[in-house]
Amino acid sequence: MALAAYRHVLRATRIAFNGDPRLLLSARHQARSSFAVNSALSASSPESTSQIAHAEDVATILRQNVVQGQKVGGRAQEEKYQLRIHDETERGDNESIRMSKEEMGSLAGLKRGAS
C-alpha cells in the first residue's frame, strides 16, 4: 500500500508541476524524504495506515486543487497570469454564491429567522 501511495504522490506532482522542473524536483524530493522518514514503520501499524492515507490525500489535493500560474505581459501595470488548468483540476459551479444564508443553512440565517 505504501508503494502505491508513493507512486500516486509522484504522479500527482508530475501533473501539478508539469513544465516547472525546479518545483517538480523539489516536490519529489519532499515526497521521497517524507516516505524515507516513515520507512521504519510496521506495515500493519495504525500510524503507518494514517501516513498512507495522508499521502493519498496529498496526491488528491495536488491533482485536483493545485493550479500554477505564470505572469504574462511585458508591462508593469498589467497583472495578467496564464493559469495551467489540467483535466483533473476540480472546477466548482459557484451555485453556493447565489444562495442566501437561509438556503445554505448557516447559523447566521438561523439566528435571524429565530428572532
Side-chain angles (χ1 to χ4, degrees), residues 64-65 67 84-94:
Q64 296 178 354
N65 300 109
V67 176
R84 199 182 64 75
I85 298 174
H86 48 82
D87 293 339
E88 294 188 45
T89 302
E90 182 180 331
R91 294 172 180 91
D93 59 5
N94 292 332

Side-chain angles (χ1 to χ4, degrees), residues 46-111:
E47 188 176 351
S48 173
T49 305
S50 72
Q51 291 297 323
I52 290 170
H54 176 73
E56 292 289 353
D57 291 343
V58 167
T60 300
I61 289 171
L62 284 173
R63 274 194 323 274
Q64 296 178 354
N65 300 109
V66 174
V67 176
Q68 285 195 295
Q70 183 176 8
K71 192 170 184 179
V72 294
R75 296 189 301 202
Q77 295 88 3
E78 287 187 351
E79 292 291 328
K80 292 184 180 182
Y81 289 85
Q82 176 71 38
L83 298 179
R84 199 182 64 75
I85 298 174
H86 48 82
D87 293 339
E88 294 188 45
T89 302
E90 182 180 331
R91 294 172 180 91
D93 59 5
N94 292 332
E95 284 299 318
S96 62
I97 293 173
R98 297 183 190 120
M99 295 172 63
S100 68
K101 289 183 180 181
E102 288 82 14
E103 291 172 326
M104 289 176 53
S106 71
L107 291 176
L110 291 175
K111 288 179 184 175

Side-chain angles (χ1 to χ4, degrees), residues 14-32:
R14 187 180 67 231
I15 291 168
F17 305 122
N18 188 19
D20 189 348
R22 185 176 56 93
L23 198 52
L24 176 62
L25 289 175
S26 177
R28 288 180 172 225
H29 176 72
Q30 178 66 35
R32 207 172 11 261

